[in-house]
């Protein structure tokens, strides 16, 4: 594959480097969230997060579109919905689902708590800090009753479903 590259995230810059170590491109960033490499309309593109905006750029660094958000970007995940490329963008106060093919926001959900993104492509969810609420990419809310002393550890996919593992932390006396 001629387009094999990696991104290296620094405090204020992202470097796109090929497999021989040559720097292909660099972008300004907040250093908080990794970029996403994808194909949009059959062209290699990068989703470059920078504080409260995300730029979609082509392989040569030309900006194809820009999305701005009302609060800082915390995390992102790429997924397909109904055959179209989407990106879920978790911000401090909102959760956005953007249709990259149509260059439009498909959904946005106001958040009243602190959430983290659990990335599993189209099965990704966000979970609040107290691990009592989960929100999927369609915007459906699920209330969780996690037993006392148990904490979220990891998630995985099996037979088309997402499974979350919670475990009790060891207590040392």
């Amino acid at each position: 594959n001629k387009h094999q590259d990696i991104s290296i995230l620094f405090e204020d810059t992202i470097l796109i480097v090929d497999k021989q170590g040559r720097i292909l491109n660099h972008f300004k960033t907040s250093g908080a969230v990794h970029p996403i490499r994808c194909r949009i309309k059959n062209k290699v593109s990068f989703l470059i997060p920078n504080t409260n905006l995300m730029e979609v750029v082509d392989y040569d660094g030309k900006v194809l579109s820009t999305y701005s958000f009302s609060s800082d970007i915390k995390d992102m995940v790429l997924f397909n919905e109904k055959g179209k490329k989407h990106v879920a963008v978790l911000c401090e106060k909102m959760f956005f689902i953007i249709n990259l093919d149509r260059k439009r926001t498909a959904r946005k959900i106001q958040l009243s708590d602190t959430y983290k993104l659990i990335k599993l492509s189209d099965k990704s969810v966000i979970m609040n800090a107290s691990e009592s609420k989960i929100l999927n990419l369609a915007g459906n809310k699920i209330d969780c009753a996690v037993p006392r002393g148990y904490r979220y550890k990891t998630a995985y996919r099996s037979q088309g479903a997402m499974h979350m593992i919670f475990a009790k932390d060891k207590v040392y006396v």
Side-chain angles (χ1 to χ4, degrees), residues 73-157:
I73 298 170
K74 292 173 61 180
D75 212 346
M76 310 185 314
V77 66
L78 186 71
F79 68 99
N80 282 314
E81 183 177 280
K82 298 179 185 168
K84 304 282 184 200
K85 283 258 189 317
H86 286 69
V87 64
V89 181
L90 176 61
C91 295
E92 290 175 357
K93 303 187 185 324
M94 295 283 280
F95 186 48
F96 294 87
I97 306 297
I98 298 169
N99 182 326
L100 295 169
D101 292 322
R102 296 185 66 205
K103 297 182 180 181
R104 295 183 57 179
T105 300
R107 292 179 289 289
K108 61 181 177 180
I109 301 157
Q110 183 100 28
L111 302 174
S112 58
D113 202 348
T114 301
Y115 282 80
K116 68 178 169 185
L117 181 61
I118 299 169
K119 301 181 199 181
L120 287 169
S121 188
D122 62 328
K123 299 293 181 195
S124 297
V125 297
I126 58 172
M127 182 171 54
N128 69 346
S130 62
E131 300 178 350
S132 62
K133 291 186 183 1
I134 294 173
L135 194 65
N136 68 13
L137 297 175
N140 300 319
K141 293 180 184 173
I142 303 158
D143 288 324
C144 299
V146 178
R148 192 176 148 137
Y150 282 76
R151 306 290 310 158
Y152 167 78
K153 297 298 180 187
T154 190
Y156 67 94
R157 289 177 67 154

Side-chain angles (χ1 to χ4, degrees), residues 33-49:
V33 180
H34 273 279
I36 297 173
R37 182 186 188 280
C38 61
R39 289 182 99 57
I40 301 173
K41 296 187 178 175
N42 243 358
K43 292 185 179 175
V44 173
S45 301
F46 296 96
L47 310 180
I48 309 292

Side-chain angles (χ1 to χ4, degrees), residues 155-167:
Y156 67 94
R157 289 177 67 154
S158 176
Q159 299 175 348
M162 182 184 115
H163 302 275
M164 298 175 77
I165 297 177
F166 292 81

Side-chain angles (χ1 to χ4, degrees), residues 8-15 26-33 48-51:
I8 302 171
L9 184 62
F10 293 100
E11 190 175 322
D12 62 352
T13 307
I14 295 170
L15 295 181
H26 67 288
F27 304 99
K28 296 294 277 172
T29 182
S30 62
V33 180
I48 309 292
N50 191 355
T51 312

